Amino acid sequence: AKVIHPAKVDALLDLLEEQQGQPLLVATAFRSEVEHLQRVLKDAGYGTVPALMGGVTDAYADRVITKWNEGKFPVLLAHPATVSHGLNLQAGGHSLCWFSLTFNLEEFIQMNARVWRQGQKSPRVIIHHIAAKGTIDTHIDEVIGQKDANQNALFAALEALVAVGLVDHAAHPHHVLQAVHHPSFRRFAVAAGAAGFLVVALEVARQVVVHDEAHVGLVDAHAEGDRGHDDGKVVTHETL
């Protein structure tokens, strides 16, 4: 794999510094990406960073998960398809960073749920998106947002049918099976420049979602308008 520029990696390193020792779960998409991040993070003083992805043994995964939940790893790399269902990672931290997003809404929701779930001790879970403007990163973010909006609209309609007695029971969003395949794409060259953060804070106690958008580096921080939502989520913008 060819490294076009280090903007996203630099943004991740800045985020880790801002964590001030708080562990960070990092969602990745490609094996080459994981290997590159492991080299960079080791050079930055984070030691040998473990990764949960396809091909690892159950014994290795169990050791990594145990140590993560014991707070022994400052960073854990993970592929959404590998850890998106059933794993309890909430004891290890309350921050998740999407270094590379997925087109699969179910993987996106379930990956976030590895830390935003029962047993999470922090009152707030922070979800970060690192995206280079004008690239496939922002396109995937838009697709995921539209899929989420469509799904919420569908379930709102089902609930309305339940309310008037036309159906007996409205399915829960997580009960709907997602397609196994999702759109594929070539590795696009990422334009040189500062990456941006999209931060989603999940209030565990009240289940309030706050969308904060800020750009880092040479990109001015600014609000680009509230993305309204039918389920009453609170939307605000503020700089990191």
Side-chain angles (χ1 to χ4, degrees), residues 49-131:
V49 175
L52 296 176
M53 56 184 180
V56 303
T57 66
D58 290 343
Y60 171 84
D62 289 342
R63 289 196 301 271
V64 168
I65 292 169
T66 297
K67 290 184 178 180
W68 164 261
N69 283 325
E70 291 174 348
K72 295 181 179 179
F73 293 135
V75 191
L76 173 59
L77 307 178
H79 191 285
T82 302
V83 303
S84 61
H85 288 83
L87 293 185
N88 293 308
L89 301 177
Q90 71 273 22
H94 62 273
S95 296
L96 165 65
C97 173
W98 283 89
F99 189 83
S100 290
L101 282 168
T102 174
F103 276 108
N104 190 308
L105 179 60
E106 177 68 8
E107 287 183 0
F108 178 75
I109 292 171
Q110 290 296 327
M111 184 69 183
N112 292 341
R114 295 315 95 213
V115 290
W116 185 36
R117 62 193 293 108
Q118 186 175 4
Q120 174 58 252
K121 296 181 180 180
S122 174
R124 191 171 75 158
V125 166
I126 308 296
I127 309 295
H128 305 266
H129 298 182
I130 299 180

Coordinates of all heavy atoms in Angstrom, one line a residue, residues 49-131:
V49 N 0.9 -2.1 19.4 CA -0.6 -1.9 19.5 C -1.3 -3.1 19.0 O -1.1 -3.6 17.8 CB -1.0 -0.7 18.7 CG1 -2.6 -0.5 18.7 CG2 -0.4 0.6 19.3
P50 N -2.2 -3.8 19.8 CA -2.9 -5.0 19.3 C -4.0 -4.6 18.3 O -4.4 -3.5 18.3 CB -3.5 -5.6 20.6 CG -3.6 -4.4 21.5 CD -2.5 -3.4 21.1
A51 N -4.3 -5.6 17.5 CA -5.4 -5.4 16.5 C -6.3 -6.7 16.5 O -5.8 -7.8 16.5 CB -4.8 -5.2 15.2
L52 N -7.6 -6.4 16.5 CA -8.6 -7.5 16.4 C -9.1 -7.4 15.0 O -9.9 -6.5 14.6 CB -9.7 -7.3 17.4 CG -9.3 -7.4 18.9 CD1 -10.5 -7.1 19.8 CD2 -8.8 -8.8 19.2
M53 N -8.8 -8.4 14.2 CA -9.2 -8.4 12.8 C -9.3 -9.9 12.3 O -8.9 -10.8 13.0 CB -8.3 -7.6 11.9 CG -6.8 -8.0 12.0 SD -5.8 -6.9 11.0 CE -4.2 -7.7 11.3
G54 N -9.7 -10.1 11.1 CA -9.8 -11.4 10.5 C -8.4 -12.1 10.5 O -7.4 -11.5 10.3
G55 N -8.4 -13.4 10.9 CA -7.2 -14.1 10.9 C -6.5 -14.3 12.2 O -5.6 -15.1 12.4
V56 N -7.0 -13.6 13.3 CA -6.4 -13.7 14.6 C -7.0 -14.9 15.3 O -8.2 -15.3 15.0 CB -6.6 -12.5 15.5 CG1 -5.9 -11.3 14.8 CG2 -8.0 -12.2 15.8
T57 N -6.3 -15.6 16.1 CA -6.8 -16.8 16.8 C -7.8 -16.4 17.9 O -7.7 -15.2 18.4 CB -5.7 -17.6 17.4 OG1 -5.0 -16.9 18.4 CG2 -4.7 -18.0 16.3
D58 N -8.6 -17.3 18.4 CA -9.5 -17.0 19.5 C -8.7 -16.7 20.8 O -9.1 -15.9 21.6 CB -10.4 -18.2 19.7 CG -11.5 -18.3 18.6 OD1 -11.7 -17.4 17.8 OD2 -12.1 -19.4 18.5
A59 N -7.6 -17.5 20.9 CA -6.8 -17.3 22.1 C -6.2 -15.9 22.2 O -6.2 -15.2 23.2 CB -5.7 -18.3 22.2
Y60 N -5.7 -15.4 21.0 CA -5.1 -14.1 20.9 C -6.2 -13.0 21.2 O -6.0 -12.1 22.0 CB -4.5 -13.9 19.5 CG -4.1 -12.4 19.3 CD1 -2.9 -12.0 19.7 CD2 -5.0 -11.5 18.6 CE1 -2.5 -10.6 19.5 CE2 -4.6 -10.2 18.4 CZ -3.3 -9.8 18.8 OH -3.0 -8.5 18.6
A61 N -7.4 -13.2 20.6 CA -8.5 -12.3 20.8 C -8.9 -12.2 22.2 O -9.1 -11.1 22.8 CB -9.7 -12.6 19.9
D62 N -9.0 -13.4 22.9 CA -9.4 -13.4 24.3 C -8.4 -12.6 25.2 O -8.8 -11.9 26.1 CB -9.5 -14.8 24.8 CG -10.7 -15.5 24.2 OD1 -11.6 -14.9 23.7 OD2 -10.8 -16.8 24.2
R63 N -7.1 -12.8 24.9 CA -6.1 -12.2 25.7 C -6.2 -10.6 25.5 O -6.1 -9.9 26.5 CB -4.7 -12.6 25.3 CG -4.3 -14.1 25.7 CD -2.8 -14.3 25.7 NE -2.3 -14.1 24.3 CZ -2.3 -15.1 23.4 NH1 -2.8 -16.3 23.6 NH2 -1.8 -14.8 22.2
V64 N -6.3 -10.2 24.2 CA -6.4 -8.8 23.9 C -7.6 -8.2 24.6 O -7.5 -7.1 25.2 CB -6.4 -8.6 22.4 CG1 -6.8 -7.1 22.1 CG2 -5.1 -8.9 21.8
I65 N -8.8 -8.8 24.5 CA -10.0 -8.3 25.1 C -9.9 -8.2 26.6 O -10.3 -7.2 27.2 CB -11.2 -9.2 24.7 CG1 -11.5 -9.1 23.2 CG2 -12.4 -8.8 25.5 CD1 -12.4 -10.1 22.6
T66 N -9.3 -9.2 27.2 CA -9.1 -9.2 28.7 C -8.2 -8.0 29.1 O -8.6 -7.2 30.0 CB -8.5 -10.5 29.2 OG1 -9.5 -11.5 28.9 CG2 -8.3 -10.4 30.7
K67 N -7.1 -7.8 28.4 CA -6.2 -6.8 28.8 C -6.8 -5.4 28.5 O -6.5 -4.4 29.2 CB -4.9 -7.0 28.1 CG -4.1 -8.2 28.6 CD -2.7 -8.3 27.9 CE -1.9 -9.4 28.5 NZ -0.6 -9.5 27.8
W68 N -7.5 -5.3 27.4 CA -8.2 -4.0 27.0 C -9.2 -3.6 28.1 O -9.2 -2.5 28.6 CB -8.9 -4.1 25.7 CG -9.9 -3.0 25.5 CD1 -11.2 -3.1 25.6 CD2 -9.6 -1.7 25.0 NE1 -11.8 -1.9 25.3 CE2 -10.9 -1.0 24.9 CE3 -8.4 -1.0 24.7 CZ2 -11.0 0.3 24.5 CZ3 -8.5 0.3 24.3 CH2 -9.8 1.0 24.2
N69 N -10.0 -4.6 28.6 CA -11.0 -4.3 29.6 C -10.3 -4.0 30.9 O -11.0 -3.4 31.8 CB -12.0 -5.4 29.7 CG -13.0 -5.4 28.6 OD1 -13.4 -4.3 28.1 ND2 -13.4 -6.5 28.1
E70 N -9.1 -4.5 31.1 CA -8.3 -4.2 32.4 C -7.6 -2.8 32.3 O -6.9 -2.5 33.2 CB -7.4 -5.3 32.6 CG -8.0 -6.6 33.0 CD -7.0 -7.8 33.1 OE1 -5.8 -7.6 32.7 OE2 -7.4 -8.8 33.7
G71 N -7.7 -2.2 31.1 CA -7.1 -0.9 31.0 C -5.6 -0.9 30.7 O -4.9 0.1 30.9
K72 N -5.1 -2.0 30.2 CA -3.7 -2.2 29.9 C -3.2 -1.7 28.6 O -2.0 -1.7 28.3 CB -3.3 -3.6 30.2 CG -3.5 -4.1 31.6 CD -3.1 -5.5 31.8 CE -3.2 -5.9 33.3 NZ -2.9 -7.3 33.6
F73 N -4.2 -1.4 27.7 CA -3.8 -0.9 26.3 C -4.3 0.5 26.2 O -5.5 0.8 26.3 CB -4.4 -1.8 25.3 CG -3.9 -3.2 25.2 CD1 -4.8 -4.2 25.1 CD2 -2.6 -3.4 25.3 CE1 -4.3 -5.5 25.0 CE2 -2.1 -4.7 25.2 CZ -3.0 -5.8 25.1
P74 N -3.4 1.5 25.8 CA -3.9 2.8 25.5 C -4.6 2.9 24.1 O -5.4 3.8 23.9 CB -2.6 3.6 25.4 CG -1.5 2.6 25.0 CD -1.9 1.3 25.6
V75 N -4.3 2.0 23.2 CA -5.0 2.0 21.9 C -5.3 0.5 21.5 O -4.5 -0.4 21.8 CB -4.0 2.6 20.8 CG1 -4.8 2.8 19.5 CG2 -3.4 3.9 21.3
L76 N -6.4 0.3 20.9 CA -6.8 -1.0 20.4 C -7.4 -0.7 19.0 O -8.3 0.0 18.8 CB -7.8 -1.7 21.2 CG -8.4 -3.0 20.7 CD1 -7.3 -4.0 20.5 CD2 -9.5 -3.6 21.6
L77 N -6.8 -1.4 18.0 CA -7.3 -1.3 16.6 C -8.2 -2.5 16.4 O -8.0 -3.6 16.9 CB -6.1 -1.4 15.6 CG -4.9 -0.4 15.8 CD1 -3.9 -0.7 14.7 CD2 -5.4 1.0 15.7
A78 N -9.3 -2.3 15.7 CA -10.3 -3.3 15.5 C -11.0 -3.1 14.2 O -11.3 -2.0 13.8 CB -11.3 -3.4 16.6
H79 N -11.3 -4.2 13.5 CA -12.1 -4.2 12.3 C -13.6 -4.4 12.7 O -13.9 -5.3 13.4 CB -11.7 -5.3 11.3 CG -12.3 -5.1 9.9 ND1 -13.6 -5.4 9.7 CD2 -11.8 -4.7 8.8 CE1 -13.9 -5.2 8.4 NE2 -12.8 -4.7 7.8
P80 N -14.5 -3.6 12.2 CA -15.9 -3.7 12.6 C -16.5 -5.0 12.4 O -17.3 -5.5 13.3 CB -16.6 -2.6 11.8 CG -15.5 -1.6 11.4 CD -14.3 -2.4 11.3
A81 N -16.2 -5.7 11.3 CA -16.8 -7.0 11.0 C -16.3 -8.1 12.0 O -17.0 -9.1 12.2 CB -16.5 -7.4 9.6
T82 N -15.2 -7.8 12.6 CA -14.6 -8.8 13.6 C -15.2 -8.6 15.0 O -15.4 -9.6 15.7 CB -13.1 -8.7 13.6 OG1 -12.5 -8.8 12.3 CG2 -12.5 -9.7 14.6
V83 N -15.4 -7.4 15.4 CA -15.8 -7.2 16.8 C -17.2 -6.6 16.9 O -17.7 -6.3 18.0 CB -14.8 -6.3 17.5 CG1 -13.4 -6.8 17.4 CG2 -14.9 -4.8 16.9
S84 N -18.0 -6.5 15.8 CA -19.2 -5.7 15.9 C -20.4 -6.4 16.6 O -21.4 -5.7 16.9 CB -19.7 -5.4 14.4 OG -19.9 -6.5 13.7
H85 N -20.3 -7.7 16.9 CA -21.4 -8.3 17.6 C -20.9 -9.1 18.8 O -20.0 -9.9 18.7 CB -22.2 -9.3 16.7 CG -23.0 -8.6 15.7 ND1 -22.5 -8.1 14.5 CD2 -24.3 -8.2 15.7 CE1 -23.5 -7.5 13.8 NE2 -24.6 -7.6 14.5
G86 N -21.5 -8.8 20.0 CA -21.4 -9.7 21.1 C -20.2 -9.4 22.0 O -20.2 -9.8 23.2
L87 N -19.2 -8.7 21.6 CA -18.0 -8.4 22.4 C -18.3 -7.3 23.4 O -18.8 -6.2 23.0 CB -16.8 -8.1 21.6 CG -16.2 -9.2 20.7 CD1 -14.9 -8.8 20.0 CD2 -16.0 -10.5 21.5
N88 N -17.8 -7.5 24.6 CA -17.9 -6.4 25.6 C -16.6 -5.7 25.7 O -15.6 -6.2 26.3 CB -18.3 -7.0 27.0 CG -19.7 -7.6 27.0 OD1 -20.7 -6.9 26.6 ND2 -19.9 -8.8 27.4
L89 N -16.5 -4.5 25.2 CA -15.3 -3.7 25.3 C -15.5 -2.4 26.1 O -14.6 -1.6 26.2 CB -14.8 -3.3 23.9 CG -14.6 -4.5 22.9 CD1 -14.2 -4.0 21.5 CD2 -13.4 -5.4 23.5
Q90 N -16.6 -2.3 26.7 CA -17.0 -1.0 27.4 C -16.1 -0.8 28.7 O -16.0 0.3 29.1 CB -18.5 -1.0 27.8 CG -18.9 -2.0 28.9 CD -19.3 -3.3 28.4 OE1 -18.8 -3.7 27.3 NE2 -20.0 -4.1 29.2
A91 N -15.6 -1.9 29.3 CA -14.8 -1.7 30.5 C -13.4 -1.1 30.2 O -12.8 -0.5 31.1 CB -14.6 -3.0 31.2
G92 N -13.0 -1.2 28.9 CA -11.7 -0.7 28.6 C -11.6 0.8 28.3 O -10.5 1.4 28.2
G93 N -12.7 1.4 28.0 CA -12.7 2.9 27.7 C -14.1 3.3 27.2 O -15.0 2.5 27.0
H94 N -14.2 4.6 27.0 CA -15.5 5.2 26.5 C -15.3 6.1 25.3 O -16.2 6.9 24.9 CB -16.1 6.1 27.7 CG -15.3 7.2 28.1 ND1 -14.3 7.1 29.0 CD2 -15.2 8.5 27.6 CE1 -13.7 8.3 29.2 NE2 -14.3 9.2 28.4
S95 N -14.2 5.9 24.6 CA -13.9 6.6 23.3 C -13.6 5.7 22.2 O -12.8 4.8 22.3 CB -12.7 7.6 23.5 OG -13.0 8.6 24.5
L96 N -14.3 6.0 21.1 CA -14.1 5.2 19.8 C -13.8 6.1 18.7 O -14.5 7.1 18.5 CB -15.3 4.3 19.5 CG -15.5 3.7 18.1 CD1 -14.4 2.7 17.9 CD2 -16.9 3.1 17.9
C97 N -12.8 5.8 17.9 CA -12.5 6.6 16.7 C -12.6 5.8 15.5 O -12.0 4.7 15.4 CB -11.0 7.1 16.9 SG -10.5 8.0 15.4
W98 N -13.4 6.3 14.5 CA -13.5 5.7 13.2 C -12.4 6.3 12.3 O -12.6 7.3 11.8 CB -14.9 5.9 12.6 CG -16.0 5.1 13.2 CD1 -16.8 5.4 14.3 CD2 -16.4 3.8 12.7 NE1 -17.6 4.3 14.5 CE2 -17.4 3.4 13.6 CE3 -16.0 3.0 11.7 CZ2 -18.1 2.1 13.4 CZ3 -16.6 1.8 11.5 CH2 -17.6 1.3 12.3
F99 N -11.3 5.5 12.2 CA -10.3 6.0 11.3 C -10.7 5.8 9.9 O -10.4 6.6 9.0 CB -9.0 5.2 11.6 CG -7.8 5.7 10.9 CD1 -7.0 6.8 11.4 CD2 -7.4 5.1 9.7 CE1 -5.9 7.3 10.7 CE2 -6.3 5.6 9.0 CZ -5.5 6.7 9.5
S100 N -11.4 4.7 9.6 CA -12.0 4.4 8.3 C -13.5 4.0 8.5 O -13.7 3.0 9.3 CB -11.3 3.4 7.5 OG -10.0 3.8 7.1
L101 N -14.4 4.7 7.9 CA -15.8 4.3 8.1 C -16.2 3.1 7.2 O -15.5 2.8 6.3 CB -16.7 5.5 7.7 CG -16.8 6.6 8.8 CD1 -17.5 7.9 8.2 CD2 -17.6 6.1 10.0
T102 N -17.4 2.6 7.5 CA -17.9 1.5 6.7 C -19.2 1.9 6.1 O -20.0 2.7 6.7 CB -18.2 0.2 7.7 OG1 -18.8 -0.8 6.9 CG2 -19.0 0.6 8.9
F103 N -19.5 1.3 5.0 CA -20.8 1.5 4.3 C -21.9 0.8 5.0 O -23.1 1.1 4.8 CB -20.8 1.1 2.9 CG -20.2 2.1 1.9 CD1 -19.0 1.8 1.3 CD2 -20.9 3.2 1.5 CE1 -18.4 2.7 0.4 CE2 -20.4 4.1 0.6 CZ -19.1 3.9 0.1
N104 N -21.6 -0.2 5.9 CA -22.6 -1.1 6.5 C -23.1 -0.4 7.8 O -22.4 -0.3 8.7 CB -21.9 -2.4 6.8 CG -22.9 -3.5 7.2 OD1 -23.7 -3.3 8.1 ND2 -22.8 -4.6 6.6
L105 N -24.4 -0.1 7.7 CA -25.0 0.6 8.9 C -25.0 -0.3 10.1 O -24.8 0.2 11.2 CB -26.4 1.1 8.5 CG -27.2 1.8 9.7 CD1 -26.4 3.1 10.1 CD2 -28.6 2.1 9.2
E106 N -25.3 -1.6 9.9 CA -25.4 -2.5 11.0 C -24.0 -2.6 11.7 O -23.9 -2.6 12.9 CB -25.9 -3.9 10.6 CG -25.9 -4.9 11.7 CD -26.9 -4.7 12.8 OE1 -27.7 -3.7 12.6 OE2 -26.9 -5.4 13.8
E107 N -22.9 -2.7 10.9 CA -21.6 -2.7 11.5 C -21.3 -1.4 12.2 O -20.7 -1.5 13.3 CB -20.6 -3.0 10.4 CG -20.5 -4.4 9.9 CD -19.4 -4.6 8.8 OE1 -18.7 -3.7 8.5 OE2 -19.3 -5.7 8.3
F108 N -21.7 -0.3 11.7 CA -21.5 1.0 12.3 C -22.2 1.1 13.6 O -21.6 1.4 14.6 CB -22.0 2.1 11.4 CG -21.8 3.5 11.9 CD1 -20.6 4.1 11.9 CD2 -22.9 4.2 12.4 CE1 -20.4 5.4 12.5 CE2 -22.8 5.4 12.9 CZ -21.5 6.0 12.9
I109 N -23.4 0.7 13.7 CA -24.2 0.7 14.9 C -23.6 -0.2 16.0 O -23.4 0.1 17.1 CB -25.7 0.4 14.7 CG1 -26.3 1.5 13.8 CG2 -26.4 0.2 16.0 CD1 -27.7 1.2 13.4
Q110 N -23.3 -1.5 15.5 CA -22.8 -2.5 16.4 C -21.4 -2.2 16.9 O -21.1 -2.4 18.1 CB -22.9 -3.8 15.8 CG -24.3 -4.4 15.6 CD -25.0 -4.6 16.9 OE1 -24.4 -5.0 17.9 NE2 -26.3 -4.4 16.9
M111 N -20.6 -1.6 16.1 CA -19.2 -1.2 16.5 C -19.3 -0.1 17.6 O -18.6 -0.2 18.6 CB -18.4 -0.7 15.3 CG -17.0 -0.3 15.7 SD -16.0 -1.8 16.0 CE -14.4 -1.1 16.5
N112 N -20.2 0.8 17.4 CA -20.4 1.9 18.4 C -20.9 1.3 19.7 O -20.6 1.7 20.8 CB -21.4 2.9 18.0 CG -20.8 3.8 16.8 OD1 -19.6 3.8 16.6 ND2 -21.7 4.4 16.1
A113 N -21.7 0.2 19.6 CA -22.3 -0.4 20.8 C -21.3 -1.3 21.5 O -21.6 -1.8 22.6 CB -23.4 -1.3 20.3
R114 N -20.1 -1.4 21.0 CA -19.0 -2.2 21.8 C -18.7 -1.4 23.1 O -18.3 -1.9 24.1 CB -17.8 -2.4 21.0 CG -17.9 -3.4 19.8 CD -18.7 -4.6 20.1 NE -20.1 -4.5 19.7 CZ -21.1 -5.0 20.3 NH1 -20.9 -5.8 21.4 NH2 -22.3 -4.9 19.9
V115 N -18.8 0.0 23.0 CA -18.5 0.8 24.1 C -19.7 1.5 24.7 O -19.7 1.8 25.9 CB -17.4 1.9 23.8 CG1 -16.0 1.2 23.6 CG2 -17.8 2.7 22.6
W116 N -20.7 1.8 23.9 CA -21.9 2.4 24.3 C -22.9 1.3 24.6 O -23.8 0.9 23.8 CB -22.5 3.3 23.3 CG -23.7 4.1 23.7 CD1 -23.9 4.6 25.0 CD2 -24.8 4.5 23.0 NE1 -25.1 5.2 25.0 CE2 -25.7 5.2 23.8 CE3 -25.2 4.3 21.6 CZ2 -26.9 5.7 23.4 CZ3 -26.4 4.8 21.2 CH2 -27.3 5.5 22.0
R117 N -22.8 0.7 25.8 CA -23.7 -0.4 26.2 C -23.7 -0.5 27.7 O -23.0 0.1 28.4 CB -23.1 -1.7 25.6 CG -21.7 -2.1 26.1 CD -21.0 -3.2 25.3 NE -21.7 -4.5 25.4 CZ -22.4 -5.0 24.4 NH1 -22.6 -4.4 23.3 NH2 -23.0 -6.2 24.6
Q118 N -24.6 -1.4 28.2 CA -24.8 -1.6 29.6 C -23.5 -2.0 30.2 O -22.8 -2.9 29.7 CB -25.8 -2.7 29.8 CG -26.2 -2.9 31.3 CD -27.3 -3.9 31.5 OE1 -27.8 -4.5 30.5 NE2 -27.8 -4.1 32.7
G119 N -23.1 -1.4 31.4 CA -21.9 -1.7 32.0 C -20.9 -0.6 31.8 O -19.8 -0.6 32.5
Q120 N -21.1 0.3 30.9 CA -20.2 1.4 30.7 C -20.3 2.3 31.9 O -21.3 2.8 32.3 CB -20.6 2.2 29.4 CG -19.8 3.5 29.1 CD -18.4 3.2 29.0 OE1 -17.6 3.6 29.9 NE2 -17.9 2.6 27.9
K121 N -19.1 2.6 32.5 CA -19.1 3.4 33.7 C -19.1 4.9 33.5 O -19.4 5.6 34.4 CB -17.9 2.9 34.5 CG -17.9 1.5 35.0 CD -16.7 1.1 35.8 CE -16.8 -0.3 36.3 NZ -15.6 -0.7 37.1
S122 N -18.6 5.2 32.3 CA -18.6 6.7 32.0 C -20.0 7.2 31.6 O -20.8 6.5 31.0 CB -17.7 7.0 30.8 OG -17.7 8.3 30.4
P123 N -20.4 8.4 32.1 CA -21.7 8.9 31.7 C -21.9 9.3 30.3 O -23.0 9.5 29.8 CB -21.9 10.1 32.6 CG -20.5 10.6 32.9 CD -19.7 9.3 32.9
R124 N -20.7 9.3 29.6 CA -20.8 9.8 28.2 C -19.7 9.0 27.4 O -18.6 8.8 27.8 CB -20.5 11.3 28.0 CG -20.8 11.8 26.7 CD -20.7 13.3 26.6 NE -19.3 13.8 26.6 CZ -19.0 15.0 26.2 NH1 -19.9 15.8 25.7 NH2 -17.7 15.4 26.2
V125 N -20.2 8.5 26.2 CA -19.3 7.8 25.3 C -19.1 8.8 24.1 O -20.0 9.4 23.6 CB -19.9 6.5 24.8 CG1 -19.2 6.0 23.5 CG2 -19.9 5.5 25.9
I126 N -17.8 8.9 23.7 CA -17.4 9.8 22.6 C -17.1 9.0 21.3 O -16.2 8.1 21.4 CB -16.3 10.7 22.9 CG1 -16.5 11.4 24.3 CG2 -16.0 11.7 21.8 CD1 -17.6 12.4 24.2
I127 N -17.7 9.3 20.2 CA -17.5 8.6 18.9 C -16.8 9.7 18.0 O -17.5 10.7 17.7 CB -18.7 8.0 18.3 CG1 -19.5 7.2 19.3 CG2 -18.4 7.3 17.0 CD1 -18.8 5.9 19.7
H128 N -15.6 9.4 17.5 CA -14.9 10.4 16.7 C -14.9 9.8 15.2 O -14.6 8.6 15.1 CB -13.5 10.6 17.1 CG -13.3 11.0 18.5 ND1 -13.2 12.3 18.9 CD2 -13.2 10.3 19.7 CE1 -13.1 12.4 20.2 NE2 -13.1 11.2 20.7
H129 N -15.1 10.6 14.3 CA -14.8 10.3 12.9 C -13.7 11.1 12.3 O -13.7 12.3 12.4 CB -16.1 10.6 12.0 CG -17.3 9.8 12.4 ND1 -18.5 9.9 11.7 CD2 -17.5 8.9 13.4 CE1 -19.4 9.1 12.2 NE2 -18.8 8.5 13.3
I130 N -12.7 10.5 11.8 CA -11.6 11.2 11.1 C -11.8 11.1 9.6 O -11.9 10.0 9.1 CB -10.2 10.7 11.5 CG1 -10.0 10.8 13.0 CG2 -9.1 11.4 10.7 CD1 -8.6 10.3 13.4
A131 N -12.0 12.3 9.0 CA -12.3 12.3 7.6 C -11.6 13.4 6.8 O -11.5 14.5 7.3 CB -13.8 12.4 7.4

